[in-house]
Amino acid sequence: MNPGIDLQGSFVEALMNLGLPADIAHVLWLPLPMVLMVVGAVFGVLTSVWLERKISAAAQQRIGPEFLGPLGVLAPVADGMKLVFKEDIVPAKADALLFTLGPVIVVIPVFLSYLIVPFGEHMLIADMGTAIFLWIALSSIQPIGLLMSGYASNNKYALLGGLRAAAQSLSYEIPLALAVLAVVMMSNSLSTIDIVHQQAGYGIVGWNVWRQPAGFLIFWIAALAECERLPFDLPEAEEELVAGYQTEYTGMKFALYYIASYVNLVLSCLLVAVLYLGGWECPIPVGVLTNALGLSETTPWLQVITGTLGITMTLLKAYFFLFLAVLLRWTLPRVRIDQLLNLGWKFLLPVALVNLLLTAALKLAFPFAFGG
């Protein structure tokens, strides 16, 4: 059953009960999922920025933001407000059209990728049978905007940053896709809902991280490179390229890059949770607990608790990997560009291919354990 249809029907029916015609109720529903997606993603960015500041401060034995709200929770809001009121400058010799389109092309595919992320069993916008394919296609668009921005800025540092971003994305997109295809092969579906359901029933033992350890590591390393996180932040290395492809950007155009970076990081952490850690599933199956307590899963209040627990589990798993990403920033040194490309082409790609072939062989040999 498609959860989006249930939500739409309930919303439209509620508006019709208030006296609105059916056509108007359907029109009012259309923008609601997208608005919820954007608001949720932006809230996730604000939370991630605050966590990055506090975790970075703890790693360096500092306090971090303290005075902008309780524990500095309003510091990301202050950063956003500052960028809103900054002057938007377009360099005199830049290509104004491409310079303006670059940030837009970068940020839109990342937001659209949230369409297929299930926060709970009935908490996603679009349950599509080709969800993973859509995500891979959307993630391939982002480097075009980065390269466009670097070229249009008419700045040698920005151009080098754009070229690095394109080369880095091309190097790591293929191993990442191959790692995901192994998971798709095990679940016999491109739907994120089906992938989570394939891991359900056995608790933590049934998670894909145990059946795909190599794929899990490849996905995590490639995701860090796709998000340009340390030690893979070559496209915007401050010591070498000032700020890379962002060098000439100010105001809201720079804010779009800032938002896209963190939205992409949160998206990658959510996909790790969905693909390898059972998504909304608890380490101990909820059915085992309800049976032990003699409760019925159809009880309304138990369904509310189960739904809330599912969302909480998804976010906890995702933000655990966000914590690891921030910790790696202050633990590992930045690699050189030749080391980064060698890692992608000469190590991750062959290992990802072997992992995919091994998954196919094990699926034929042990169909029960590998989703045959």
Side-chain angles (χ1 to χ4, degrees), residues 24 35 42 44 89 91 145 153 155 190 204 230 237 274-276 305 317 324-325 347:
I24 296 178
V35 171
V42 171
I89 299 172
S153 297
N155 179 299
L190 288 164
I204 192 172
L230 267 163
V274 169
L275 296 175
Y276 295 98
I305 294 175
K317 294 171 185 176
L324 290 183
F347 181 74

Side-chain angles (χ1 to χ4, degrees), residues 195-211 273-289 309 313 317:
I195 290 174
V196 176
H197 283 161
Q198 181 260 338
Q199 303 174 69
Y202 301 99
I204 192 172
V205 180
W207 293 354
N208 283 334
V209 66
W210 311 116
R211 289 176 286 185
V274 169
L275 296 175
Y276 295 98
L277 299 181
W280 63 80
E281 295 291 333
C282 296
I284 301 175
V286 176
V288 173
L289 295 176
L309 182 62
M313 291 304 304
K317 294 171 185 176

Side-chain angles (χ1 to χ4, degrees), residues 359-368 370:
T359 302
L362 290 174
K363 182 176 179 179
L364 291 174
F366 307 101
F368 176 77
F370 285 85

Side-chain angles (χ1 to χ4, degrees), residues 56-79:
S56 300
Q60 298 177 325
Q61 295 184 342
R62 299 184 288 108
I63 297 176
E66 281 288 312
F67 301 106
L68 286 171
L71 298 177
V73 293
L74 296 181
V77 179
D79 290 341

Side-chain angles (χ1 to χ4, degrees), residues 39-226:
V39 171
V42 171
F43 181 76
V45 167
L46 294 176
T47 306
S48 302
V49 172
W50 177 78
L51 283 174
E52 173 136 32
R53 287 172 177 251
K54 299 299 285 188
I55 296 169
S56 300
Q60 298 177 325
Q61 295 184 342
R62 299 184 288 108
I63 297 176
E66 281 288 312
F67 301 106
L68 286 171
L71 298 177
V73 293
L74 296 181
V77 179
D79 290 341
M81 294 301 294
K82 179 187 71 173
L83 290 173
V84 167
F85 292 104
K86 284 280 189 179
E87 182 180 1
D88 185 11
I89 299 172
V90 178
K93 295 185 179 181
D95 188 318
L97 177 60
L98 296 182
F99 188 83
T100 303
L101 285 178
V104 178
I105 293 177
V106 169
V107 76
I108 288 180
V110 183
F111 274 103
L112 289 177
S113 298
Y114 276 79
L115 289 170
I116 55 98
V117 176
F119 291 88
E121 189 167 6
H122 300 290
M123 291 293 294
L124 84 163
I125 295 176
D127 181 13
M128 292 179 287
T130 57
I132 296 298
F133 179 78
L134 175 65
W135 168 63
I136 293 174
L138 288 172
S139 64
S140 303
I141 298 174
Q142 190 178 11
I144 299 174
L146 301 179
L147 184 59
M148 184 186 297
S149 301
Y151 167 78
S153 297
N154 195 28
N155 179 299
K156 61 182 179 181
Y157 299 112
L159 179 59
L160 284 172
L163 291 172
R164 281 186 176 186
Q168 180 169 317
S169 177
L170 183 62
S171 301
Y172 285 85
E173 188 78 27
I174 302 173
L176 183 142
L178 291 175
V180 175
L181 285 178
V183 174
V184 169
M185 186 183 297
M186 290 173 54
S187 59
N188 299 313
S189 175
L190 288 164
S191 168
T192 50
I193 292 290
D194 292 342
I195 290 174
V196 176
H197 283 161
Q198 181 260 338
Q199 303 174 69
Y202 301 99
I204 192 172
V205 180
W207 293 354
N208 283 334
V209 66
W210 311 116
R211 289 176 286 185
Q212 286 288 317
F216 167 72
L217 292 175
I218 292 169
F219 184 93
W220 178 235
I221 295 171
L224 288 177
E226 287 282 309

